[in-house]
Amino acid sequence: MLAEQRIAIVGGGLMGHGIAQVLAGRGARVTVHDPDPAVLASVPERIAANLRVLGGDDAVAQEVRLADTLEDAVGAADWVFEAAPERMQLKQELFARLEQAAPAACVLATNTSVMRVTEIAAQVQSAERVVGTHWWNPPYLVPLVEVVQGERTSPDVVQRTMTLLAEAGKTPVHGKRDVPGFVGNRLQHALWRQAFELVDAGVCDAEAIDTVVKASFGIRLAVLGPMENADLVGLDLTLDIHEYVLPTLDPPSEPAAGLRARAAAGDLGMKTGAGYRAWSADEAEEVRRRLLEHLAGASPTLQRGGER
Ligand SMILES: NC(=O)c1ccc[n+]([C@@H]2O[C@H](COP(=O)([O-])OP(=O)(O)OC[C@H]3O[C@@H](n4cnc5c(N)ncnc54)[C@H](O)[C@@H]3O)[C@@H](O)[C@H]2O)c1
């Protein structure tokens, strides 16, 4: 039962506070730790603000316990969800500490976006209890959590993690092999890579890429995945298309030159006012609002919190 679980969230930033919101909203006893005191102190207000935007009850934000130290947060935990920065050495050291600080039966889950769970657990003796749980942003609106089985993760830990996440109202999917990027980000970044290459090659501009996606297969994707779509149009047609097009796709070896150049120039996207296009603060805010409204309307497992 989720309500009986003591859950520690390690890293209370963008993902950590949202994961805390979901689990506390479903009744788990949640503690958050972040080494940055300002970030830690902001967690309840960030959760309450999310809930207010969605029209939910923000009382749940006050039920999340804040812990100044890692040891205090995880000392009596049944589950740890790590949502610290995406740096391999940091995560390896953190998991070695978690192994010492958490009870022996506690499951240690990492929210890494792309890094192999096996590598993150490299310094952990009890690696059978280390599992990947790749939540998507925002965690309280996007249903999927990829549950990634590392080379040493026990099948029982995978199964219990799937059950816990289902009880939390999420849509867990089992990644049976620990490949970089898992399933979702491998698919997503295959698309992005090709988009950047098309812009670099002058085939079309950045706005045209987005229009092509949003006005065609993008609107189908929420109800028709690529495997269903291939079966729908027929594998004979799909094979003919692949025979002709695949040899012309760029090899997957390097980030696109245009991406590297923009990043090096400090054109990082909405946060700096320019990326593949210029963004005013109002335009950026409008995109975020549009996305939130869409997700809030589309999510079958919308978790407003306070719904106990
Ligand atoms: N942002 C996304 O869209 C997204 C989506 C899915 C997964 N992720 C993954 O989730 C993780 C967290 O990403 P985020 O976007 O929430 O980052 P973030 O920068 O918003 O939050 C990370 C937090 O970790 C804290 N931190 C730093 N060192 C720490 C330590 N040693 N122990 C504990 N906490 C520490 C920081 O103070 C910060 O508040 C990363 O692994 C990221 O790849 C991010």
Side-chain angles (χ1 to χ4, degrees), residues 10-16 33-36 39 46 70 82-87 90-91 94 97 110-115 134-137 185:
V10 173
L14 182 67
M15 295 303 291
H33 165 66
D34 196 293
D36 183 330
V39 172
R46 284 182 91 173
L70 180 85
E82 168 272 321
E86 188 78 342
R87 294 201 296 276
L90 183 150
K91 288 199 196 282
L94 196 48
R97 274 179 74 195
T110 172
N111 190 48
T112 175
S113 304
V114 293
M115 298 189 314
H134 179 218
W135 300 64
W136 290 65
N137 183 46
N185 269 328

Side-chain angles (χ1 to χ4, degrees), residues 7 17 25 37 61-62 77 86 106 112-113 123-124 131 136 146 153 165 179-180 206 220 254 268 304:
I7 298 181
H17 89 275
Q62 299 309 322
E86 188 78 342
C106 177
T112 175
S113 304
Q123 297 170 19
V124 177
V131 66
W136 290 65
E146 292 176 87
T153 312
L165 291 166
V179 292
R220 287 198 307 237
E254 289 243 340
L268 303 182
R304 294 173 191 278

Side-chain angles (χ1 to χ4, degrees), residues 60-82:
V60 77
Q62 299 309 322
E63 292 171 25
V64 172
R65 189 173 81 87
L66 306 181
D68 292 333
T69 66
L70 180 85
E71 286 68 23
D72 176 20
V74 309
D78 300 305
W79 300 82
V80 173
F81 288 93
E82 168 272 321

